[in-house]
Structures are given as structure tokens and as C-alpha cells.
Amino acid sequence: MRNVVARLRSASRLCGVLLPAFCPIVLLAQGNYEIQVYGSDTVAPQTTMLELHSNFTVFGQRYLIDGVYPTYHQEHETLELTQGVNDWSEVGFYIFTSEQNGHGVQWVGDHIRPRVRVPTSWHWPVGVSLSTEIGYQRAVYSPDTWTWEIRPIVDKAVRRWYFALNPALERTWHGPDVHQGLGFAPAAKVSFDFTKVISAGVEYYADYGKLFYFDAFHQQQQQFFAAADLNVSPNWEINFGVGIGVTAATDHLIIKGIIGRRFSWHKASPIE
Amino acid sequence: MLSRREFAQCAAGGSAAWLASAQTEVLTPADYTIDIAPYSLDLSPHSAIETVAYNAQVPGPLIQLQEGKPVTIDVSNRTNSPEVVHWHGLFLSPEVDGAMEEGTPMIPPRGKARYTFTPRPAGFRWYHTHTFAGHNHNRAQYTGQHGFVFIAPRENPGRYDAEIFLALHDWKGHLLASDDGSMNPVYDVSTINGRVLGFGEPLQVKPNQRVLFHILNSSPTEVHWIALAGHSFEVIALDGNAVPSAETVPMLRLAPAERVCAIVRTNNPGVWVLAEVRKHIQAAGMGMVVEYAGQSGKPRWQQPESLDWDYTRFGSSEPVAPRDDGAIEIPLVFRSKFAGHGEMDHWTINGKSFPHTDTIVLHQGQRYRLLLKNESTDNHPVHLHRHVFELRRIAGVGTPRGVLKDTILVDANTEAHVEFTADDPGLTLFHCHQQDHMDMGFMMLFRYA
């Protein structure tokens, strides 16, 4: 297995409920608990992946609006546990937390994420997998408390280049956006292998609003991250980056980091 | 800067004159003819592969020669790509050895060539294509272009009742990301003599016999471990060269291009499985049924729990000679050069990739010691053309004398020492026998002063 540290995912989810455009205050749901574009690989069977996602919002929403905490100077720590089921599927589980002056360390919510992929024996020219994620987050962090996401994942490594695309669709099951229908929240990544250990590139996260009826641009969430991966070992995943939000509805500056470790639960045998 | 592919194209262009000459010679009948042609190989009842084969069979025809008796072999290339046939393990001149890097002319598409040589040394050799594959896993050694050569000695010291030739091969390769951070070939199907376990005819043996197995690993890239349930192997030769100490072992390890000759005593009647020891390779098909005469029932397999192989146990019990024995040392350092997580590694010998590797000058009659230092995380089955070498050190440990080979597996991050005498003038190729490694620069030449 290649030491892939390109498995990034966007959890940047927003309500898209805006005050009038002339008003500088934008109401958006909390997001940015797991900022990652997914690669198509799944965790191997009898193996557990433990990841810690740390994201700090340097410049974000400063105001408490409709009971939703501001994102400004919030530190999000997300623990992700992924268990490989077989050669083509895995299940992930998330614990989201937030830390902020005046609020302390708070539990935000949990998600569960089964994922299947096209087996390598099918010899597809690109890696393909499909993830679905269901979960709850507290209303003080997201007005939409119960949400569901389906995320197709396509990726391809070509010499020193790596490309990944996650055209995710989201649905609110409980909250203000329950009648919105499917939202379109794509993410993408392009990176270059500068060395065997260091890869770096650009990650893109967006939420366009309702599928086929996109929000106005300033109401959309649009983020670009300069990110790097350190491929130090097949057992480790290390990713970090700095992102800017280019619309009023996006947190303007975020620093993110991911550190992950694989644990194998079977004794390696030379005959296996 | 020439790649190996470009080097091959130049060599193919330069071969026209030789071929014209060769075609005029095709008046006298040849001792053997080989047709290189596309072939549909049924690997199993449910799996076939469109490949290229010799004389429409995999492995190609067994070529049995007499040591010292000249032979003529006509080869027709009925494919659309230049080809060449390498006579692996034979002491031949560079013009017919079968490596265009040494100067053997390529056979153009739809062209012919005649190889005339005097075969030596005696023993189990083989022949195979020696071309570039690159990213095409249905070319070069990824195809069915391999066959056995057996050169009978003038006086045959062998004592056996039956003789069986087996070729291990892997098919339907594709690149997959690996732990080392780069792409490596992996395979869907693995076979013995072109058939998966249970598809080919069982090997029929009689009880209380000495059956001599000649086993070749013709895989483009994979090392294989072979066991015969209920039996053991008495190894009598490695790479076709008799070993000083014939040891009995529970399993054989063969790196790509290696051969083992081993006697099996058929003293355990039943129906058994001869197969790859590692479960996933056996599941991919590498195995065959061995059936005693008059026996029936479900074939039995006894799964070993570990892998066991040691070159040194076949050496002489005489003490290792001191190092200051006049051999000139030639250090060769193997390293990988990262080319991206979506690409195969490139390879260097002493910091350079073929065709830019240094050509080392040999003096006839001189003894040389190759210090093979593998500073990579891959194992490398390295092969010296047109010569045989003696193992001297494996992974830092001195080896008993007398183990003669033409291919040795140098494990990752270890050093091996081998010695040879420069006794066959002419360009001599040295390379890793993994197709992907030799394609990506892991080759160099020796030349005689």
C-alpha cells in the first residue's frame, strides 16, 4: 500500500442563511471540523486508523447569531477512528469538539461514515470510492443538527502529480435547511511530489448551496488551502495547511493539521 | 539523453545488415525453430490472456542440447515489435547472447534471425525475450516468451527415474501503489507451466522413484516459494550448476530468473499439491496437482508456517578463503530514484542509470569480486550475462565455497559479494532481472580491455 496522505475531506458545511448583503455579519453554521479531501483508498482489513484533525479559525465570524457560537479563534479538535472491514470497505466514526474563550472545551457532535471503493482487481483507470456520512451536531454549533452526506471520490496519481475530486451532496434532516433539498459541496485537491516524503499543493472546499439552484457567489462558501503532506511512513498520515475563504460566507483564515496513525490488529505472517 | 527504449530502437535499426546476412544462411535446416507470435493462453477455465508465446505454447518448447555440439536455431518474429531471444546462463558471444545492449541484433517485426552457437556449460538454462516493457504489462517478460534449455553434459552423472520441467509465471500485471511509496507491478493470476492450480493435467509420478524437478522462475518481477506437500526437495543444482553440498529442504525459493534442480523421492503415495507457499499467490493459481499412479482423491496441501531458504547451505564445507586472494573488488551500489507516487522508481548503479552507467573494463583471466550493495528497500535479483559467479558473502556473512550462479537475490539494505573470472571476452550485461527495474535504468555493461 502506498503511503497516501492525500485523503482530505471537507466538513465545511454552512447554512447559507445570510443577512442582507449590505450587512457585514453573515450567519453561517459551524464547520471546519474535518478539512480533508478524500482519496479513494480504504483502510485495510484488521487495521484501525486513528486521526486527529486540528483546525484553528484565525479570522472568522465574531458574533453570536441566532444562538450559534462565533467561529473566531475557535479551536476544533476532531478525533476520527476508521476501521477497515475488508479489501474494499471501511467504517469511520467521528467525535467533534470545540474550544474557545468563554465556552471552554465542548462536545459538538458525532458522525458515522461507511465507505466502499472499487476493488483494485477491477483495474479502473482511476481510484473510485463512495462515502456516506450521517451525524448529529449541537445546535449551538450548527442549526442543522442532523445531516447526511454522500460523497463520490475519484482520484489518480500520475507520476509526481496527484488529483482528487469529491463532488459531495448534502442533505439536512433536522434544522432550518430541512426543506432545502440536496446541497452541492465539492472538494478537490491537486498536489505535486517534491520528494518522496514531501508533497504539496492546493485543496479546494466549497458549498454552492442547493443543487441546481446555487446561492449567489458571496453567499457560497469558497475556501482554498495551501497544504502539504508528509509521507514519512506507510503507517502515518500527516497533513497541514493554511486556508483562506474568499467569500463573505466563509471563514477568512484557517490553519489546519491532521496527524494519523494506522494500527494493524493481525500479526504479519510471511505466508499471508 | 537516451532511454533504454531509444537505445533499443537504435540497436534495431543497426541490425539490418546482420539480418540480411542471417537470412542468406537460412538455406540449411536449423536444429530448432522458434516462432514468436501472438497467442491466446487459457490460464484457467474462466481466464484467458492475449499474450505472445514461442511456438504457440507456454512455456516454449524444451530445447535439449549437447554440451559442445554446435546448434542452429531459427527464430521468426511474427509480432509487430522488435524482438530478441536471450540464452540465459549460456557462455555465448555477445552477437548471439540475446541482449541488444551487448550488440545482439534485434529481430525486426516480421523478420527472422538465425542463432548459431556451441552450447556450454552443461546444465539447466533457459531462453526468454530481452526487450523493453515500460508501462505495458503485456510486453517483454510480462508475456509468455520463456522456455527451458537443457544442455546435457558429455558424461551425464545424474541418477533419476523421471524428469519434470516447471516454469513459475505471473500474469495480468498492473501497477499498484506500494508501501515503499512508488508504483510496482502486481498480478491477478499466477501459474505453473501456464495453468492455474487444478486446471492443468496432474503430474503423474510412480512410487519409489527419484524424480528430478527442473524449476524455473520466469516471473517478470516476483520471487516465489514452492513446496510439495508430503515431500521434500534434495537440491542438486542452482541456476543449472551442481552444488557442492546437495541438501534436503522443505521448500524452494526462486527469484526471477533463478532455477533450481531438485530430486524428490516419491515415497509418500497419494494425491498432493505442489504450490506457492504464500497463501495469496497460491490463491491466484500458482500450483499443480501431483498424483501417484493408482491413487485418487482430493489433492492434499500442508501449509508451512514460515519461509525458509538459505543459499549458503549448499556450499562446500571447506573454510572460506581469505579475502586477499588477488580478486579485484568492484563496488556496485544500487539505489532507487523517486519519480513520483504515481510512477515506478528509477534505478541507479553507482549513481547512474542505464545507458549512462559506467562501463567497467575487465582484463581477461583476472578474478573480480563484485561488492553488491543494495541501498534500496527492494530486493534485487541481479544477473550477469555470459559468465557464472561464485557466492562469497550474503548479507555480510561469508558463504561456503562452490555455489555457482548467474543470478543472485540481493535483499533490501544488504550487501552480497560474488566473484567471477573474466574468461569470456566481449560486452557483458549486468542487470536486475525484474523487468520494471531493468526498464528503469538498472543495467550496466562490462567490457574487456
Side-chain angles (χ1 to χ4, degrees):
Chain A
M1 289 283 290
R2 178 187 151 199
N3 179 21
V4 176
V5 191
R7 208 170 64 86
L8 307 175
R9 175 181 182 267
S10 167
S12 49
R13 183 174 297 117
L14 58 120
C15 292
V17 179
L18 296 175
L19 294 178
F22 51 84
C23 175
I25 300 171
V26 177
L27 173 60
L28 59 153
Q30 295 268 338
N32 301 325
Y33 291 94
E34 187 209 5
I35 305 172
Q36 188 171 25
V37 180
Y38 276 13
S40 62
D41 271 357
T42 52
V43 172
Q46 300 183 65
T47 303
T48 304
M49 181 85 189
L50 177 63
E51 285 177 277
L52 180 67
H53 303 256
S54 303
N55 306 315
F56 181 70
T57 305
V58 181
F59 298 124
Q61 174 58 260
R62 289 173 176 266
Y63 305 100
L64 179 72
I65 301 169
D66 284 351
V68 177
Y69 291 157
T71 58
Y72 182 77
H73 280 195
Q74 263 192 359
E75 172 71 24
H76 292 171
E77 296 292 340
T78 297
L79 192 64
E80 177 183 358
L81 278 163
T82 307
Q83 176 64 43
V85 176
N86 53 32
D87 286 340
W88 49 269
S89 71
E90 66 179 24
V91 177
F93 182 74
Y94 299 88
I95 303 168
F96 302 123
T97 70
S98 177
E99 193 277 331
Q100 193 174 28
N101 275 345
H103 300 292
V105 178
Q106 297 283 324
W107 169 72
V108 173
D110 295 319
H111 283 192
I112 189 165
R113 178 190 52 76
R115 186 149 75 105
V116 295
R117 73 172 169 122
V118 170
T120 52
S121 59
W122 291 11
H123 299 179
W124 283 26
V126 294
V128 175
S129 63
L130 187 67
S131 155
T132 185
E133 185 170 328
I134 301 163
Y136 168 82
Q137 46 279 328
R138 293 167 59 196
V140 290
Y141 291 94
S142 170
D144 294 324
T145 51
W146 283 96
T147 55
W148 168 76
E149 173 194 279
I150 189 160
R151 179 176 293 258
I153 298 153
V154 181
D155 73 349
K156 175 79 174 174
V158 182
R159 299 182 187 275
R160 289 178 180 267
W161 292 95
Y162 175 76
F163 307 91
L165 178 65
N166 296 179
L169 301 173
E170 300 176 343
R171 179 80 166 86
T172 296
W173 280 350
H174 188 274
D177 286 341
V178 71
H179 301 297
Q180 178 183 300
L182 282 175
F184 181 55
K189 171 175 179 144
V190 177
S191 68
F192 183 80
D193 298 326
F194 289 94
T195 70
K196 194 168 187 170
V197 173
I198 301 171
S199 308
V202 177
E203 296 170 8
Y204 168 69
Y205 304 92
D207 192 326
Y208 285 75
K210 188 175 181 179
L211 188 64
F212 305 127
Y213 301 96
F214 294 160
D215 295 336
F217 181 73
H218 67 277
Q219 293 175 319
Q220 296 175 5
Q221 185 153 331
Q222 299 282 347
Q223 281 180 315
F224 296 88
F225 278 77
D229 300 300
L230 300 183
N231 310 296
V232 295
S233 155
N235 288 329
W236 287 91
E237 288 196 4
I238 302 170
N239 169 269
F240 54 90
V242 177
I244 56 169
V246 298
T247 66
T250 317
D251 287 333
H252 292 317
L253 183 61
I254 295 177
I255 299 170
K256 70 155 186 164
I258 303 169
I259 185 161
R261 174 74 162 89
R262 282 184 179 83
F263 297 93
S264 182
W265 303 112
H266 73 285
K267 188 179 177 185
S269 164
I271 60 162
E272 297 291 345
Chain B
M1 180 170 168
L2 285 174
S3 66
R4 187 181 175 221
R5 184 204 305 267
E6 292 160 345
F7 191 93
Q9 287 167 345
C10 292
S15 66
W18 183 89
L19 287 162
S21 165
Q23 283 167 358
T24 61
E25 292 172 11
V26 186
L27 298 173
T28 56
D31 299 297
Y32 284 93
T33 58
I34 296 174
D35 281 348
I36 307 170
Y39 179 61
S40 180
L41 173 65
D42 291 329
L43 300 167
S44 75
H46 313 293
S47 178
I49 185 170
E50 299 300 321
T51 186
V52 178
Y54 295 143
N55 291 6
Q57 64 182 81
V58 176
L62 168 64
I63 295 180
Q64 292 184 289
L65 306 174
Q66 190 74 37
E67 185 180 28
K69 182 182 176 186
V71 63
T72 300
I73 301 172
D74 283 342
V75 180
S76 299
N77 177 10
R78 303 186 193 281
T79 73
N80 295 322
S81 305
E83 273 298 342
V84 70
V85 179
H86 170 49
W87 308 95
H88 188 121
L90 280 74
F91 301 163
L92 304 179
S93 70
E95 292 75 24
V96 293
D97 183 51
M100 58 86 185
E101 295 85 355
E102 294 173 338
T104 308
M106 298 292 283
I107 310 167
R110 310 291 164 183
K112 294 182 178 179
R114 166 166 282 197
Y115 295 84
T116 300
F117 55 82
T118 301
R120 69 183 180 95
F124 178 30
R125 317 294 165 194
W126 66 300
Y127 61 105
H128 62 87
T129 181
H130 207 285
T131 51
F132 178 88
H135 291 83
N136 185 344
H137 293 99
N138 203 18
R139 282 220 61 204
Q141 293 181 81
Y142 297 109
T143 68
Q145 294 179 82
H146 54 268
F148 312 109
V149 176
F150 189 78
I151 304 175
R154 287 190 175 90
E155 295 179 7
N156 192 343
R159 190 176 69 78
Y160 51 86
D161 303 301
E163 198 173 19
I164 293 167
F165 288 83
L166 302 178
L168 320 175
H169 203 71
D170 299 288
W171 304 90
K172 298 192 173 181
H174 54 101
L175 288 177
L176 191 66
S178 62
D179 273 345
D180 66 6
S182 301
M183 305 291 276
N184 285 309
V186 294
Y187 303 89
D188 291 346
V189 182
S190 299
T191 61
I192 297 179
N193 284 359
R195 297 283 188 270
V196 301
L197 176 59
F199 181 50
E201 286 295 312
L203 272 181
Q204 302 284 345
V205 297
K206 295 175 182 174
N208 302 313
Q209 288 196 332
R210 288 164 58 89
V211 179
L212 176 56
F213 282 83
H214 298 287
I215 304 180
L216 155 71
N217 183 357
S218 62
S219 172
T221 62
E222 298 302 295
V223 176
H224 287 300
W225 301 78
I226 296 295
L228 173 55
H231 299 77
S232 53
F233 295 100
E234 181 190 356
V235 175
I236 62 168
L238 296 176
D239 293 353
N241 308 301
V243 293
S245 177
E247 292 286 320
T248 299
V249 296
M251 67 183 71
L252 309 173
R253 186 196 72 181
L254 296 102
E258 284 191 316
R259 289 89 68 208
V260 174
C261 301
I263 289 187
V264 171
R265 287 177 168 77
T266 52
N267 52 10
N268 194 0
V271 181
W272 301 96
V273 171
L274 181 150
E276 236 284 359
V277 174
R278 292 167 301 168
K279 293 177 180 176
H280 63 291
I281 308 290
Q282 191 181 122
M286 185 167 282
M288 67 193 318
V289 175
V290 177
E291 192 174 276
Y292 278 67
Q295 299 287 319
S296 60
K298 191 178 177 186
R300 281 186 287 168
W301 171 248
Q302 296 166 338
Q303 179 62 54
E305 292 305 316
S306 61
L307 302 176
D308 180 25
W309 181 255
D310 181 2
Y311 285 129
T312 66
R313 69 170 58 179
F314 307 108
S316 161
S317 55
E318 292 175 17
V320 175
R323 283 171 61 90
D324 56 345
D325 50 7
I328 294 175
E329 295 190 339
I330 301 175
L332 300 175
V333 180
F334 313 145
R335 291 197 186 104
S336 63
K337 218 162 68 175
F338 179 69
H341 291 300
E343 177 60 295
M344 295 180 283
D345 276 343
H346 293 186
W347 293 94
T348 64
I349 301 175
N350 291 346
K352 297 176 183 175
S353 292
F354 191 83
H356 304 291
T357 42
D358 294 328
T359 298
I360 293 174
V361 178
L362 305 176
H363 294 269
Q364 192 166 357
Q366 174 66 49
R367 187 82 169 162
Y368 291 93
R369 183 180 301 123
L370 302 181
L371 312 180
L372 310 173
K373 192 169 187 182
N374 182 1
E375 294 187 351
S376 77
T377 54
D378 282 12
N379 303 333
H380 296 292
V382 292
H383 168 49
L384 182 66
H385 282 226
R386 307 176 54 251
H387 296 75
V388 67
F389 52 67
E390 181 183 9
L391 307 193
R392 295 304 307 274
R393 289 182 83 79
I394 301 287
V397 178
T399 63
R401 300 301 298 257
V403 179
L404 302 177
K405 291 175 61 57
D406 55 56
T407 306
I408 179 179
L409 186 68
V410 185
D411 288 335
N413 294 308
T414 69
E415 188 168 339
H417 297 178
V418 300
E419 285 183 10
F420 73 102
T421 301
D423 56 4
D424 196 5
L427 280 175
T428 300
L429 191 64
F430 172 83
H431 63 95
C432 178
H433 217 280
Q434 275 197 223
Q435 180 75 52
D436 55 330
H437 292 180
M438 59 193 290
D439 287 346
M440 296 297 159
F442 200 140
M443 297 204 292
M444 63 170 287
L445 284 163
F446 293 98
R447 71 174 176 85
Y448 279 70

